[in-house]
Amino acid sequence: MADKVSFELVSPDRLLMAVDADAVAMPGMEGDFGVLPGHAPLISALRAGVIEVEGADGDSPDRVYIAGGFAEVAADRLVVLAEEAVVVADMDRAELEERIQDANGELEAAEEGEGRRLAEAKISVLQEMLGAAR
Amino acid sequence: MANLKELKNRITSVTSTQKITKAMQMVAAAKLRRAQEAAEQSRPYANRMERMIASVASNLPSLDSAPPLVVGSGKDDVHLLVVVTAERGLCGAFNSNIVRAVRQKAKELQEEGKTVKLFCVGRKGEESLRRDMEDRIAEYITLREVKNLTFADARPIAEKLSQMFNDGEFDVCTVFYNAFKSVISQVVTEQQLIPVKLPDPEAADDDDAVDLGGAIYDYEPEENDLLGVLVPRNMSVQIYRSLLESSAAEQAARMTSMDNATRNAGDMIDSLTLTYNRTRQAIITKELIEIVSGAEAL
């Protein structure tokens, strides 16, 4: 058995990351889980949150924020499909706070119903990103 | 005989047309490379998504409880045809091929007594379909302002589609787009989106499929719920893929047709120049004869 998990992060636009890691912690929809070498085959939906990669070789980022997605674990391979992914170290707190303020303004301006729901969802995603950036 | 000045004007105008087509060809060639790259880079995601769905679907206890996006609404009375075309013309038969395929399909469906609705993506398709099927166009999205296609451009289309499906506006959804096969060939492709054609896991076309040695996946949340999240996402992915393919194919088609146009203009300039020179020569000869016979008459 290999002593590393090969971890791939794929977005619809391109392959974002492909590294070998000792362990990867995932924000699963039904609870967080860690993936170590020899993990049982699993397909899981992911909620918005941070993926933590431990013991990756090279200078690849170790914390990546994703806005939900899917993970597939099979035979020491971990493939994550994420529509949006941001490296935590690249996030700018000041900019995020500004975007939250903007979104709050949108929320106040929004009518009841769909627009309001969207604005609320946007704020919660941004706030999670801010939390992750700490 | 055409007069010299007219010929000269023709030659100038054809030459400037040739310059334009040549420039368009080169622009298309540059854009094609970028579009092709984008199409290739989107493949890993689409392939893996497909494999996941195949795996989940093959482990479903029964299809009865699966989400309606997967199994359909149980009817096939109303067909929605999504027509993906270009925003601009001058790309050979690119747009008319799609439109012809859609017309044909619509005719077949109507002969079977089904209702046909159209969802146009791209200005060119809408323009030509509006002429005879205006009342059938249910939705029209233009990507005119979009310079570089991103996933965010595909998502609203997919969301609109699922919303229309949930409102019961159609039962079956098929996408028509030009697939990029090679620089000189684009293939009109018809892909059924709703209900999902579940891929056959055996036939999954993936070079790096993992051999599990008979192991079975755990699913989290359970299969049906997971499929309920996966399938709508997959729809955006499929739409994104067809948009990318279509844009690569469009640039390829434009490049080929502009190459032809440039060559035709070149041929035309050659033959016009020949006529021009002949005419000029004829006029000189005529003048000489006039002078000589004038001198002889003295």
Side-chain angles (χ1 to χ4, degrees), chain B residues 35-105:
Chain B
Q36 216 179 327
E37 239 163 54
E40 266 159 26
Q41 284 189 324
S42 78
R43 266 179 209 151
Y45 193 90
N47 281 345
R48 285 178 181 130
M49 181 73 94
E50 213 159 70
R51 202 173 63 205
M52 269 190 206
I53 291 189
S55 149
V56 179
S58 62
N59 279 298
L60 274 183
S62 84
L63 276 174
D64 302 336
S65 50
L69 276 177
V70 183
V71 288
S73 56
K75 295 177 290 187
D76 73 334
D77 296 335
V78 184
H79 285 247
L80 182 77
L81 309 181
V82 181
V83 189
V84 183
T85 52
E87 291 299 325
R88 286 157 213 281
L90 287 180
C91 42
F94 181 85
N95 293 316
S96 51
N97 279 347
I98 290 282
V99 170
R100 193 178 323 128
V102 169
R103 283 220 172 90
Q104 166 112 31
K105 178 84 180 178

Side-chain angles (χ1 to χ4, degrees), chain A residues 8 10-15 30-31 41-45 68-75 77 79 81-84, chain B residues 41-42 44-45 48-49 51-52 55-56 150-151 155 208 210 212 215-221 226 229-230 233 240:
Chain A
E8 282 178 22
V10 195
S11 84
D13 296 316
R14 65 204 168 92
L15 184 70
E30 299 190 334
L42 166 78
I43 290 182
S44 169
F70 301 94
E72 181 190 18
V73 187
R77 271 179 45 148
V79 179
L81 305 180
E83 280 181 21
E84 262 179 77
Chain B
Q41 284 189 324
S42 78
Y45 193 90
R48 285 178 181 130
M49 181 73 94
R51 202 173 63 205
M52 269 190 206
S55 149
V56 179
T150 57
F151 192 60
R155 203 154 29 184
D208 59 0
V210 184
L212 287 176
I216 298 164
Y217 281 101
D218 278 338
Y219 297 104
E220 206 180 292
L226 190 58
V229 212
L230 261 170
R233 295 269 180 125
Y240 182 54

Side-chain angles (χ1 to χ4, degrees), chain A residues 47-121:
Chain A
R47 61 182 169 76
V50 176
I51 298 179
E52 291 186 38
V53 186
E54 268 173 49
D57 36 33
D59 52 356
S60 62
D62 54 353
R63 301 183 78 219
V64 183
Y65 176 85
I66 58 160
F70 301 94
E72 181 190 18
V73 187
D76 288 333
R77 271 179 45 148
L78 166 62
V79 179
V80 175
L81 305 180
E83 280 181 21
E84 262 179 77
V86 190
V87 176
V88 170
D90 294 348
M91 290 200 284
D92 182 355
R93 288 203 53 188
E95 192 200 315
L96 279 176
E97 270 162 12
E98 207 173 287
R99 280 174 62 187
I100 289 181
Q101 285 216 320
D102 286 353
N104 272 324
E106 256 173 59
L107 180 64
E108 271 165 34
E111 300 279 318
E112 280 300 314
E114 189 73 357
R116 205 171 170 79
R117 202 182 55 77
L118 279 176
E120 272 167 7

